[in-house]
C-alpha cells in the first residue's frame, strides 16, 4: 500500500499519484516497472550567440514518457528553475492526460533552463531555433509533437516549425501545435485549456447541484489559463472575486472586471496596483471563502502546510501538479471536490490534437466546430472519470489515474513486449 509523504519533487509526486492508482488496480509489477518511468529522455547543452557578441551555453530537455498509444505530445517550457525531474513529471502527466481524454497519444514534455524575460526577441529566436535543431532527432509529426507551455507561445512554435521545415526542405505544419492561425494553427487553441476547464466546471456544478452563474471564484495565476478561465466564467455570470500572479493578488468581493485587470497588467506588468480592488497575497487567495478555487500557475501551490486553509467547495486544477498528494488527503477530509489536472486542463491538448489532425489533412475547421468537439471530449472524460470514481469509491484524481493507467496498460499489454 502506498504511504503518502509530503514531497516537493514533482516526479516523486507524479509517482506517488501513480502508485495509489496502481495499487487500486492491482497492476502487475511488470506494468508498474514500465509505466512508472519515462521511456526516452534527451538532455542537451547548446550555445546561443547573445546580442552583445557573448556566447551562453543553455541546458534543454525532451522527455517522452510512453509511446504505446501513439506519438508523444507535450509542451515546451522556458523557465529558469526547470529541471529534468520536473520535465519527467510533466511528461508522465501528459501520458495520463491524453489517455483520460482518450486521445491517441503518449505524453512528453520539454524545455530550456532559461528566463525568457531576460532575453531579447532575437535571442529567444536563436535559442529556439538551436533548441529545435537539437530536438529534431526525437520530434516529428509521427513521433513527438511539441506545443506551448509556461514561457513559450505561438511565435516560438512558429520558429520551431520553420526550423524543422528548413531542415526537411518542405513545410511540416504538423510538427508542432499551438501555432499562429496563419501558418496552420487551429481556431480555439489559445483559449482551449481554459474553455475545457469551464466545460468541466459546468458538468461538475450540475453533478454537485451548484449554479454556475452564482459561483464565487478565485484564480491563482493570471496567464493564458488563469486569465481566460476568469474571463469565460465572468461571461457566464460567475463572480471572480480574486486573481493573482507571481507578484501578488487582488480581491474585490463584488467581483473583478477581468478585462480591466488585464489592461492594468498589460500596462504595469502585474495585477497588483489595480485600483478597483484590495491587494492580497497568494497565500490569502488560497484561503478565500469561494465556491471554486482555480490554481492556474505552477506546481506545488497547495501543500500539506496550506491545504487546511482552503475553503472552496471545488478545486479545479488549471495548472499541472498544483496539489501535493499529502494536500489531497487534507482536501478530501474537508469534502473538497478536486478536478485533477489530468482532467481539468486536458482542453489544451485536445485542441492541439484537433490542430494536428487538421495539419495532417490540410482541412481546417471553424471555431464553432472546434469548441463543439472539445465539449464532447471533455464532457465524456468527466463522466468516464466520475463513473470510475463511483465504481472504485475514490476521489476524482485517483479515478482519473485508474482510467488513464488502465488504458495505457491495455495498450502495452496488447502490443506485447518487443522482441
Ligand atoms: P502563463 O505563463 O501564461 O501564466 C502563468 C501565470 O502564473 C502568470 O500570470 C504568472 O505570473 C503566474 N505565476 C507564476 N508563479 C506564480 C506564483 N508563485 N503565484 C501566483 N502566480 C504565479 O502560463 P499558462 O500557459 O497559463 O500555464 C499555467 C499553468 O497551466 C502551468 O502549470 C501550465 O503547465 C498549465 N497548463 C497550461 C496549458 C496551456 O494550454 N497554456 C495547458 C495545460 C496546462
Amino acid at each position: 500500500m502506498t504511504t503518502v509523504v509530503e514531497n516537493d519533487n514533482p516526479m516523486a509526486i507524479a509517482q506517488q499519484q501513480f502508485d495509489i492508482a496502481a495499487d487500486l488496480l492491482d497492476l502487475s509489477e511488470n506494468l508498474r516497472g514500465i509505466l512508472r518511468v519515462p521511456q526516452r529522455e534527451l538532455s542537451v547543452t547548446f550555445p546561443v550567440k547573445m546580442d552583445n557578441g557573448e556566447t551562453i551555453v543553455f541546458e534543454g530537455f525532451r522527455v517522452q514518457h510512453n509511446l504505446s498509444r501513439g506519438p508523444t505530445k507535450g509542451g515546451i517550457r522556458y523557465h529558469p528553475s526547470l529541471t529534468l525531474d520536473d520535465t519527467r513529471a510533466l511528461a508522465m502527466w501528459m501520458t495520463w492526460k491524453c489517455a483520460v481524454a482518450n486521445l491517441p497519444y503518449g505524453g512528453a514534455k520539454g524545455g530550456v533552463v532559461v528566463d525568457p524575460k531576460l532575453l531579447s526577441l532575437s535571442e529567444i529566436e536563436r535559442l529556439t531555433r538551436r533548441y529545435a535543431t537539437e530536438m529534431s532527432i526525437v520530434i516529428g509529426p509521427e513521433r513527438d509533437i511539441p506545443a506551448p507551455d509556461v514561457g513559450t507561445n505561438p511565435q516560438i512554435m512558429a520558429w520551431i516549425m520553420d526550423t524543422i521545415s528548413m531542415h526537411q526542405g518542405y513545410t511540416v505544419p504538423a510538427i508542432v501545435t499551438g501555432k499562429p492561425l496563419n501558418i496552420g494553427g487551429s481556431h480555439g487553441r489559445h483559449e482551449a485549456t481554459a474553455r475545457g476547464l469551464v466545460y468541466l466546471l459546468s458538468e461538475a456544478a450540475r453533478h454537485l447541484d451548484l449554479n454556475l452563474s452564482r459561483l464565487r471564484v478565485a484564480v491563482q495565476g493570471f496567464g493564458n489559463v488563469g486569465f481566460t478561465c476568469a474571463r469565460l466564467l465572468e461571461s457566464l455570470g460567475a463572480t471572480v472575486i480574486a486573481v493573482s500572479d507571481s507578484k501578488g493578488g487582488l480581491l474585490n468581493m463584488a467581483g473583478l472586471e477581468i478585462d480591466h485587470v488585464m489592461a492594468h497588467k498589460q500596462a504595469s506588468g502585474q495585477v497588483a496596483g489595480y485600483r478597483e480592488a484590495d491587494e492580497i497575497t497568494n497565500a490569502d487567495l488560497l484561503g478565500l471563502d469561494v465556491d471554486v478555487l482555480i490554481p492556474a500557475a505552477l506546481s506545488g501551490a497547495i501543500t500539506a502546510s496550506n491545504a487546511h486553509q482552503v475553503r472552496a467547495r471545488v478545486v479545479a486544477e488549471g495548472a499541472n501538479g498544483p496539489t501535493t498528494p499529502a494536500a489531497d488527503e487534507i482536501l478530501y477530509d474537508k469534502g473538497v471536490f478536486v478536478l485533477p489536472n489530468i482532467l481539468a486542463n486536458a482542453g489544451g491538448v485536445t485542441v492541439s490534437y484537433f490542430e494536428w489532425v487538421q495539419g495532417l489533412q490540410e482541412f481546417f475547421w471553424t471555431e464553432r466546430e472546434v469548441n463543439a468537439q472539445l465539449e464532447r471530449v471533455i464532457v465524456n472524460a468527466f463522466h468516464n472519470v466520475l463513473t470510475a470514481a463511483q465504481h472504485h469509491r475514490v476521489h476524482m484524481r485517483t479515478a482519473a489515474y485508474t482510467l488513464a493507467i488502465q488504458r495505457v496498460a491495455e495498450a502495452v499489454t496488447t502490443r506485447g513486449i518487443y522482441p
Side-chain angles (χ1 to χ4, degrees):
M1 202 59 197
T2 304
T3 316
V4 172
V5 280
E6 184 71 319
N7 194 319
D8 61 5
N9 178 316
M11 189 55 183
I13 291 173
Q15 289 183 326
Q16 270 185 7
Q17 290 166 339
F18 170 81
D19 290 340
I20 292 168
D23 285 350
L24 197 71
L25 288 168
D26 212 9
L27 203 70
S28 73
E29 286 306 319
N30 283 348
L31 282 167
R32 283 178 202 235
I34 294 169
L35 299 181
R36 216 172 170 275
V37 288
Q39 190 167 338
R40 292 181 187 155
E41 300 180 349
L42 177 62
S43 226
V44 295
T45 51
F46 57 93
V48 178
K49 275 192 194 134
M50 297 290 110
D51 292 343
N52 65 4
E54 221 184 303
T55 296
I56 295 188
V57 175
F58 289 91
E59 196 180 4
F61 315 109
R62 187 75 185 166
V63 175
Q64 299 173 346
H65 172 258
N66 190 280
L67 290 86
S68 308
R69 284 169 51 90
T72 49
K73 187 89 191 77
I76 291 177
R77 184 172 288 198
Y78 287 177
H79 196 273
S81 53
L82 182 75
T83 65
L84 181 55
D85 251 4
D86 294 339
T87 316
R88 288 174 173 139
L90 291 160
M92 191 165 173
W93 282 321
M94 284 305 297
T95 298
W96 312 136
K97 194 180 300 180
C98 293
V100 166
N102 217 356
L103 308 176
Y105 288 139
K109 204 81 177 190
V112 179
V113 184
V114 60
D115 185 350
K117 288 185 195 140
L118 304 180
L119 266 55
S120 72
L121 202 61
S122 53
E123 287 169 339
I124 294 176
E125 177 174 354
R126 286 195 291 279
L127 175 136
T128 299
R129 289 186 182 278
R130 179 63 189 246
Y131 171 70
T133 303
E134 298 288 343
M135 293 298 118
S136 63
I137 56 174
V138 294
I139 63 173
E142 283 95 29
R143 307 163 83 186
D144 179 8
I145 308 112
D149 189 64
V150 176
T152 59
N153 56 33
Q155 176 60 67
I156 289 174
M157 296 307 113
W159 288 326
I160 294 176
M161 188 273 239
D162 183 69
T163 302
I164 301 297
S165 299
M166 289 298 121
H167 293 177
Q168 298 288 340
Y170 55 89
T171 299
V172 192
I175 180 80
V176 286
T177 60
K179 298 179 290 292
L181 264 182
N182 58 11
I183 53 163
S186 176
H187 286 290
R189 173 61 187 89
H190 188 67
E191 294 190 333
T193 304
R195 195 175 285 282
L197 190 145
V198 171
Y199 287 142
L200 195 67
L201 260 182
S202 118
E203 287 306 295
R206 201 165 301 140
H207 168 67
L208 298 169
D209 215 8
L210 300 170
N211 184 338
L212 194 70
S213 63
R214 294 223 194 98
L215 295 182
R216 292 158 67 75
V217 183
V219 183
Q220 183 196 47
F222 203 61
N224 175 2
V225 179
F227 159 69
T228 314
C229 275
R231 198 163 49 80
L232 289 173
L233 286 168
E234 181 189 36
S235 73
L236 293 173
T239 309
V240 181
I241 65 164
V243 299
S244 69
D245 60 19
S246 58
K247 299 190 187 112
L250 300 174
L251 172 68
N252 181 332
M253 297 304 280
L256 294 159
E257 290 195 61
I258 299 304
D259 280 335
H260 292 184
V261 177
M262 182 44 100
H264 167 79
K265 183 172 165 82
Q266 275 168 346
S268 69
Q270 56 187 35
V271 296
Y274 175 68
R275 288 229 194 100
E276 308 294 316
D278 297 324
E279 290 193 12
I280 55 169
T281 64
N282 266 292
D284 298 334
L285 181 138
L286 295 178
L288 290 174
D289 186 10
V290 287
D291 301 298
V292 180
L293 172 64
I294 304 178
L298 296 178
S299 54
I302 306 177
T303 64
S305 56
N306 61 17
H308 55 277
Q309 291 162 12
V310 171
R311 288 195 279 166
R313 172 79 182 87
V314 178
V315 170
E317 296 183 338
N320 282 313
T323 313
T324 64
D328 259 345
E329 308 240 306
I330 298 169
L331 296 182
Y332 297 153
D333 285 346
K334 290 162 66 83
V336 179
F337 188 76
V338 178
L339 290 167
N341 58 339
I342 60 171
L343 172 66
N345 66 29
V349 70
T350 302
V351 175
S352 270
Y353 166 60
F354 298 158
E355 179 177 333
W356 178 71
V357 168
Q358 292 170 76
L360 290 175
Q361 298 186 339
E362 301 284 357
F363 179 76
F364 292 88
W365 311 353
T366 64
E367 185 163 0
R368 183 190 280 256
E369 286 168 321
V370 169
N371 290 345
Q373 291 292 340
L374 171 63
E375 185 170 16
R376 184 186 56 79
V377 170
I378 295 294
V379 170
N380 262 343
F382 174 79
H383 289 287
N384 288 339
V385 173
L386 190 63
T387 305
Q390 287 160 348
H391 174 74
H392 292 291
R393 294 174 201 275
V394 291
H395 297 285
M396 293 291 274
R397 183 179 326 275
T398 303
Y401 267 81
T402 55
L403 182 71
I405 292 171
Q406 218 163 3
R407 284 179 175 160
V408 181
E410 276 167 15
V412 171
T413 308
T414 306
R415 287 179 61 159
I417 308 287
Y418 177 87

